[in-house]
Protein backbone atom coordinates (compact mmCIF):
# COMPACT_ATOMS: atom_id res chain seq x y z
CA UNK A 1 0.00 0.00 0.00
CA UNK A 2 2.82 2.44 0.86
CA UNK A 3 4.43 1.79 -2.54
CA UNK A 4 1.08 2.62 -4.12
CA UNK A 5 0.94 5.91 -2.20
CA UNK A 6 4.38 6.88 -3.50
CA UNK A 7 3.32 6.20 -7.10
CA UNK A 8 0.06 8.11 -6.65
CA UNK A 9 1.90 11.13 -5.25
CA UNK A 10 4.46 10.95 -8.06
CA UNK A 11 1.67 11.01 -10.65
CA UNK A 12 -0.22 13.73 -8.77
CA UNK A 13 2.90 15.91 -8.74
CA UNK A 14 3.33 15.45 -12.51
CA UNK A 15 -0.35 16.20 -13.22
CA UNK A 16 -0.18 19.44 -11.24
CA UNK A 17 3.26 20.37 -12.58
CA UNK A 18 2.48 19.88 -16.26
CA UNK A 19 -1.00 21.27 -15.76
CA UNK A 20 0.65 24.48 -14.56
CA UNK A 21 2.89 24.56 -17.65
CA UNK A 22 -0.16 24.35 -19.92
CA UNK A 23 -1.85 27.46 -18.48
CA UNK A 24 -1.54 30.75 -20.42
CA UNK A 25 -2.52 33.05 -17.55
CA UNK A 26 0.77 33.85 -15.78
CA UNK A 27 -0.79 34.31 -12.33
CA UNK A 28 -2.63 30.98 -12.50
CA UNK A 29 0.46 29.27 -13.91
CA UNK A 30 2.54 30.40 -10.93
CA UNK A 31 -0.20 29.37 -8.47
CA UNK A 32 -0.40 25.83 -9.84
CA UNK A 33 3.38 25.61 -10.04
CA UNK A 34 3.57 26.51 -6.33
CA UNK A 35 1.05 23.74 -5.59
CA UNK A 36 3.20 21.29 -7.56
CA UNK A 37 6.29 22.30 -5.57
CA UNK A 38 4.47 21.43 -2.34
CA UNK A 39 3.35 18.11 -3.83
CA UNK A 40 6.97 17.35 -4.66
CA UNK A 41 7.93 18.01 -1.04
CA UNK A 42 5.21 15.54 -0.03
CA UNK A 43 6.84 12.99 -2.35
CA UNK A 44 10.23 13.57 -0.71
CA UNK A 45 8.77 13.19 2.80
CA UNK A 46 6.97 9.96 1.89
CA UNK A 47 10.19 8.66 0.32
CA UNK A 48 12.14 9.45 3.48
CA UNK A 49 9.50 7.68 5.56
CA UNK A 50 9.75 4.60 3.33
CA UNK A 51 13.55 4.58 3.60
CA UNK A 52 13.34 4.73 7.40
CA UNK A 53 10.91 1.80 7.36
CA UNK A 54 13.17 -0.09 4.90
CA UNK A 55 10.34 -0.36 2.38
CA UNK A 56 11.48 -0.62 -1.25
CA UNK A 57 9.87 1.90 -3.63
CA UNK A 58 10.35 3.03 -7.22
CA UNK A 59 9.47 5.72 -9.74
CA UNK A 60 7.10 3.57 -11.79
CA UNK A 61 4.11 5.48 -13.11
CA UNK A 62 1.22 4.98 -15.47
CA UNK A 63 1.18 6.56 -18.92
CA UNK A 64 -0.45 9.85 -18.01
CA UNK A 65 -2.82 11.60 -20.38
CA UNK A 66 -2.25 15.19 -19.29
CA UNK A 67 -4.08 16.83 -22.19
CA UNK A 68 -7.08 19.00 -21.36
CA UNK A 69 -8.93 21.30 -23.74
CA UNK A 70 -9.43 24.27 -21.40
CA UNK A 71 -8.70 25.67 -17.94
CA UNK A 72 -11.94 24.50 -16.38
CA UNK A 73 -11.43 20.92 -17.54
CA UNK A 74 -7.92 21.04 -16.03
CA UNK A 75 -9.12 22.43 -12.70
CA UNK A 76 -11.91 19.83 -12.46
CA UNK A 77 -9.46 17.03 -13.31
CA UNK A 78 -6.97 18.14 -10.63
CA UNK A 79 -9.73 18.40 -8.01
CA UNK A 80 -10.82 14.83 -8.79
CA UNK A 81 -7.24 13.50 -8.64
CA UNK A 82 -6.63 15.20 -5.29
CA UNK A 83 -9.85 13.76 -3.85
CA UNK A 84 -9.22 10.27 -5.26
CA UNK A 85 -5.76 10.08 -3.69
CA UNK A 86 -7.24 10.53 -0.21
CA UNK A 87 -8.43 6.92 0.12
CA UNK A 88 -4.81 5.69 0.14
CA UNK A 89 -3.56 7.98 2.90
CA UNK A 90 -2.69 6.83 6.40
CA UNK A 91 -3.62 8.19 9.80
CA UNK A 92 -0.26 9.77 10.68
CA UNK A 93 0.98 13.33 11.33
CA UNK A 94 2.71 13.27 7.91
CA UNK A 95 -0.47 12.46 6.05
CA UNK A 96 -2.50 14.89 8.14
CA UNK A 97 -0.17 17.62 6.88
CA UNK A 98 -0.56 16.33 3.32
CA UNK A 99 -4.36 16.25 3.65
CA UNK A 100 -4.45 19.81 4.98
CA UNK A 101 -2.32 21.05 2.08
CA UNK A 102 -4.45 19.28 -0.48
CA UNK A 103 -7.69 20.56 1.06
CA UNK A 104 -6.38 24.06 0.41
CA UNK A 105 -5.50 23.16 -3.20
CA UNK A 106 -9.01 21.79 -3.74
CA UNK A 107 -10.54 24.94 -2.25
CA UNK A 108 -8.43 27.20 -4.48
CA UNK A 109 -9.10 25.19 -7.63
CA UNK A 110 -12.83 25.23 -6.87
CA UNK A 111 -12.62 29.02 -6.61
CA UNK A 112 -10.81 29.20 -9.95
CA UNK A 113 -13.64 27.20 -11.54
CA UNK A 114 -16.17 29.70 -10.19
CA UNK A 115 -14.35 32.96 -10.81
CA UNK A 116 -11.88 32.59 -13.70
CA UNK A 117 -12.90 32.72 -17.36
CA UNK A 118 -12.64 29.41 -19.16
CA UNK A 119 -9.72 29.84 -21.57
CA UNK A 120 -8.71 27.23 -24.17
CA UNK A 121 -5.44 25.34 -23.59
CA UNK A 122 -3.19 25.32 -26.66
CA UNK A 123 -0.20 23.52 -25.09
CA UNK A 124 -1.00 20.29 -27.01
CA UNK A 125 -2.09 21.55 -30.44
CA UNK A 126 1.19 20.46 -32.16
CA UNK A 127 1.59 23.73 -34.10
CA UNK A 128 5.37 23.92 -33.38
CA UNK A 129 5.53 27.69 -33.74
CA UNK A 130 7.36 29.79 -31.15
CA UNK A 131 5.35 32.96 -30.37
CA UNK A 132 6.71 36.15 -31.89
CA UNK A 133 9.73 34.36 -33.40
CA UNK A 134 10.36 33.90 -37.11
CA UNK A 135 12.27 30.62 -36.99
CA UNK A 136 13.13 28.58 -40.08
CA UNK A 137 12.07 24.93 -40.27
CA UNK A 138 15.60 23.64 -39.43
CA UNK A 139 15.72 26.01 -36.45
CA UNK A 140 12.33 24.79 -35.21
CA UNK A 141 13.44 21.19 -35.66
CA UNK A 142 16.65 21.80 -33.69
CA UNK A 143 14.77 23.61 -30.93
CA UNK A 144 12.10 20.89 -30.71
CA UNK A 145 14.64 18.07 -30.44
CA UNK A 146 16.68 19.95 -27.83
CA UNK A 147 13.66 20.75 -25.66
CA UNK A 148 12.34 17.18 -25.68
CA UNK A 149 15.74 15.70 -24.85
CA UNK A 150 16.56 18.21 -22.13
CA UNK A 151 13.07 18.00 -20.65
CA UNK A 152 13.53 14.28 -20.06
CA UNK A 153 17.11 14.76 -18.81
CA UNK A 154 16.06 17.33 -16.20
CA UNK A 155 13.15 15.15 -15.01
CA UNK A 156 15.55 12.23 -14.74
CA UNK A 157 18.07 14.26 -12.74
CA UNK A 158 15.40 15.52 -10.34
CA UNK A 159 14.34 11.97 -9.54
CA UNK A 160 17.83 10.46 -9.43
CA UNK A 161 19.33 13.12 -7.15
CA UNK A 162 16.25 13.03 -4.92
CA UNK A 163 16.47 9.23 -4.66
CA UNK A 164 20.22 9.38 -3.93
CA UNK A 165 19.69 12.08 -1.33
CA UNK A 166 17.19 9.89 0.53
CA UNK A 167 19.89 7.25 1.03
CA UNK A 168 22.92 9.37 1.97
CA UNK A 169 24.10 10.32 5.47
CA UNK A 170 26.82 12.60 4.10
CA UNK A 171 25.76 16.20 4.78
CA UNK A 172 28.00 17.73 2.10
CA UNK A 173 26.80 15.25 -0.50
CA UNK A 174 23.19 15.85 0.53
CA UNK A 175 23.61 19.63 0.10
CA UNK A 176 25.06 19.12 -3.38
CA UNK A 177 22.19 16.83 -4.39
CA UNK A 178 19.67 19.37 -3.12
CA UNK A 179 21.25 22.18 -5.14
CA UNK A 180 21.27 20.00 -8.26
CA UNK A 181 17.60 19.09 -7.75
CA UNK A 182 16.67 22.77 -7.40
CA UNK A 183 18.64 23.66 -10.53
CA UNK A 184 17.01 20.88 -12.52
CA UNK A 185 13.58 22.01 -11.31
CA UNK A 186 14.27 25.44 -12.82
CA UNK A 187 15.51 23.96 -16.09
CA UNK A 188 12.53 21.60 -16.34
CA UNK A 189 10.19 24.52 -15.75
CA UNK A 190 11.92 26.65 -18.40
CA UNK A 191 12.03 23.97 -21.09
CA UNK A 192 8.49 22.73 -20.40
CA UNK A 193 7.10 26.25 -20.60
CA UNK A 194 8.77 26.62 -24.00
CA UNK A 195 7.29 23.30 -25.15
CA UNK A 196 3.88 24.54 -24.00
CA UNK A 197 4.26 27.78 -25.97
CA UNK A 198 5.01 25.71 -29.08
CA UNK A 199 2.01 23.42 -28.53
CA UNK A 200 4.10 20.25 -27.97
CA UNK A 201 4.00 19.81 -24.20
CA UNK A 202 4.20 16.21 -22.97
CA UNK A 203 5.23 14.32 -19.83
CA UNK A 204 8.60 12.56 -19.77
CA UNK A 205 8.78 8.79 -20.16
CA UNK A 206 9.15 6.52 -17.12
CA UNK A 207 12.67 6.05 -15.72
CA UNK A 208 14.14 2.57 -15.80
CA UNK A 209 15.02 1.36 -12.30
CA UNK A 210 18.70 0.88 -13.07
CA UNK A 211 19.04 4.61 -13.75
CA UNK A 212 18.44 5.55 -10.10
CA UNK A 213 19.22 2.23 -8.35
CA UNK A 214 22.88 2.28 -9.31
CA UNK A 215 25.59 0.53 -7.31
CA UNK A 216 28.57 2.79 -8.03
CA UNK A 217 28.15 6.44 -6.96
CA UNK A 218 31.55 7.41 -8.36
CA UNK A 219 30.74 6.05 -11.81
CA UNK A 220 27.31 7.68 -11.69
CA UNK A 221 28.90 11.08 -11.03
CA UNK A 222 31.53 10.58 -13.74
CA UNK A 223 28.80 9.68 -16.23
CA UNK A 224 26.79 12.68 -15.04
CA UNK A 225 29.70 15.04 -15.70
CA UNK A 226 29.98 13.71 -19.26
CA UNK A 227 26.24 14.23 -19.71
CA UNK A 228 26.47 17.83 -18.45
CA UNK A 229 29.38 18.52 -20.78
CA UNK A 230 27.33 17.18 -23.70
CA UNK A 231 24.39 19.38 -22.64
CA UNK A 232 26.71 22.40 -22.61
CA UNK A 233 27.72 21.68 -26.20
CA UNK A 234 24.08 21.34 -27.23
CA UNK A 235 23.22 24.69 -25.62
CA UNK A 236 26.07 26.43 -27.42
CA UNK A 237 25.18 24.76 -30.73
CA UNK A 238 21.54 25.76 -30.39
CA UNK A 239 22.46 29.34 -29.45
CA UNK A 240 24.46 29.54 -32.70
CA UNK A 241 21.78 27.90 -34.87
CA UNK A 242 18.73 29.78 -33.62
CA UNK A 243 20.01 33.23 -34.66
CA UNK A 244 17.58 34.96 -32.33
CA UNK A 245 19.10 37.25 -29.73
CA UNK A 246 16.60 36.50 -26.96
CA UNK A 247 16.63 32.70 -27.37
CA UNK A 248 20.41 32.56 -27.94
CA UNK A 249 20.96 34.57 -24.76
CA UNK A 250 18.77 32.14 -22.81
CA UNK A 251 20.64 29.07 -24.03
CA UNK A 252 23.98 30.70 -23.28
CA UNK A 253 22.67 31.39 -19.78
CA UNK A 254 21.77 27.70 -19.38
CA UNK A 255 25.22 26.75 -20.67
CA UNK A 256 26.93 28.76 -17.94
CA UNK A 257 24.71 27.15 -15.31
CA UNK A 258 25.85 23.74 -16.52
CA UNK A 259 29.44 24.81 -15.73
CA UNK A 260 28.53 25.13 -12.05
CA UNK A 261 26.72 21.78 -12.11
CA UNK A 262 29.91 20.14 -13.31
CA UNK A 263 31.86 21.83 -10.51
CA UNK A 264 29.33 20.56 -7.96
CA UNK A 265 29.53 17.02 -9.30
CA UNK A 266 33.33 17.13 -9.18
CA UNK A 267 33.03 18.26 -5.57
CA UNK A 268 30.65 15.36 -4.90
CA UNK A 269 33.26 12.98 -6.36
CA UNK A 270 35.63 13.99 -3.57
CA UNK A 271 33.01 13.00 -1.00
CA UNK A 272 32.62 9.47 -2.37
Amino acid sequence: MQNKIFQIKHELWLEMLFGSFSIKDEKLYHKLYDFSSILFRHLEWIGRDLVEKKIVFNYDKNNLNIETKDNHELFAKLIKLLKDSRKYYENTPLFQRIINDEEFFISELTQYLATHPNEPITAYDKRREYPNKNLSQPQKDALTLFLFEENYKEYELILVYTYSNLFTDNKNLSNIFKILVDESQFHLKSFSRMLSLMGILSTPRTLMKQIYRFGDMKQFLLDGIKEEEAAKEECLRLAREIEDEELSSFFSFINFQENYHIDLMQEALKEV
Side-chain angles (χ1 to χ4, degrees), residues 5-7 9-10 13 36-52 57 59 94-95 98 157-167 174-175 177-182 185:
I5 292 171
F6 191 83
Q7 180 177 335
K9 291 297 292 187
H10 180 193
W13 165 59
S36 77
S37 297
I38 294 172
L39 289 173
F40 185 75
R41 290 208 293 275
H42 293 171
L43 190 66
E44 288 182 294
W45 297 340
I46 293 169
R48 188 174 297 116
D49 187 53
L50 293 174
V51 169
E52 289 174 358
F57 61 97
Y59 285 124
L94 169 59
F95 281 98
I98 289 172
L157 291 176
I158 289 167
L159 297 192
V160 171
Y161 288 130
T162 297
Y163 191 88
S164 299
N165 200 20
L166 292 172
F167 288 92
S174 178
N175 287 338
F177 288 153
K178 183 60 179 169
I179 293 170
L180 290 169
V181 168
D182 290 343
Q185 293 271 22

Side-chain angles (χ1 to χ4, degrees), residues 199-250:
I200 49 176
L201 183 64
S202 64
T203 52
R205 62 187 181 274
T206 300
L207 265 67
M208 294 183 293
K209 292 182 179 65
Q210 58 265 37
I211 292 176
Y212 52 92
R213 287 182 184 168
F214 50 83
D216 188 338
M217 176 64 76
K218 181 178 180 181
Q219 189 59 51
F220 163 73
L221 291 168
L222 288 170
D223 291 342
I225 289 170
K226 290 179 184 177
E227 192 173 358
E228 294 289 356
E229 288 171 342
K232 274 173 50 62
E233 289 302 315
E234 283 300 301
C235 281
L236 289 173
R237 182 186 62 78
L238 197 60
R240 290 192 299 267
E241 288 186 12
I242 290 296
E243 297 178 352
D244 177 90
E245 185 176 348
E246 182 183 2
L247 290 175
S248 294
S249 176
F250 171 73

Side-chain angles (χ1 to χ4, degrees), residues 31-192:
K31 278 282 190 181
L32 264 62
Y33 185 79
D34 286 345
F35 295 168
S36 77
S37 297
I38 294 172
L39 289 173
F40 185 75
R41 290 208 293 275
H42 293 171
L43 190 66
E44 288 182 294
W45 297 340
I46 293 169
R48 188 174 297 116
D49 187 53
L50 293 174
V51 169
E52 289 174 358
K53 293 175 179 175
K54 293 182 169 49
I55 296 174
V56 177
F57 61 97
N58 57 55
Y59 285 124
D60 289 354
K61 62 179 177 63
N62 293 312
N63 292 323
L64 304 178
N65 179 17
I66 61 169
E67 296 188 19
T68 49
K69 68 179 184 297
D70 53 51
N71 287 2
H72 283 196
E73 183 181 335
L74 172 63
F75 300 152
K77 178 186 180 184
L78 292 173
I79 290 169
K80 184 178 187 306
L81 289 170
L82 287 161
K83 288 180 176 179
D84 287 348
S85 67
R86 188 72 50 80
K87 61 187 175 187
Y88 296 98
Y89 293 169
E90 301 171 350
N91 185 24
T92 65
L94 169 59
F95 281 98
Q96 189 56 57
R97 160 63 195 265
I98 289 172
I99 289 168
N100 289 339
D101 286 347
E102 293 182 355
E103 281 290 346
F104 176 73
F105 301 160
I106 291 169
S107 174
E108 288 289 286
L109 289 164
T110 303
Q111 278 290 105
Y112 299 159
L113 271 173
T115 60
H116 281 78
N118 190 17
E119 296 183 351
I121 287 176
T122 60
Y124 316 107
D125 64 12
K126 308 293 191 294
R127 67 191 178 284
R128 278 214 313 145
E129 296 289 340
Y130 202 92
N132 304 314
K133 302 293 179 188
N134 186 24
L135 302 179
S136 68
Q137 192 60 49
Q139 288 172 334
K140 285 187 284 190
D141 290 344
L143 179 59
T144 299
L145 181 61
F146 174 85
L147 290 175
F148 274 124
E149 289 182 346
E150 291 302 299
N151 205 45
Y152 172 74
K153 189 199 85 169
E154 299 301 343
Y155 168 71
E156 175 188 302
L157 291 176
I158 289 167
L159 297 192
V160 171
Y161 288 130
T162 297
Y163 191 88
S164 299
N165 200 20
L166 292 172
F167 288 92
T168 185
D169 295 323
N170 183 311
K171 185 177 179 180
N172 291 336
L173 204 54
S174 178
N175 287 338
I176 291 170
F177 288 153
K178 183 60 179 169
I179 293 170
L180 290 169
V181 168
D182 290 343
E183 290 283 280
S184 288
Q185 293 271 22
F186 170 72
H187 287 188
L188 179 66
K189 176 176 70 171
S190 301
F191 298 145
S192 293

Side-chain angles (χ1 to χ4, degrees), residues 14 22 30 232:
L14 287 174
S22 73
H30 286 294
K232 274 173 50 62

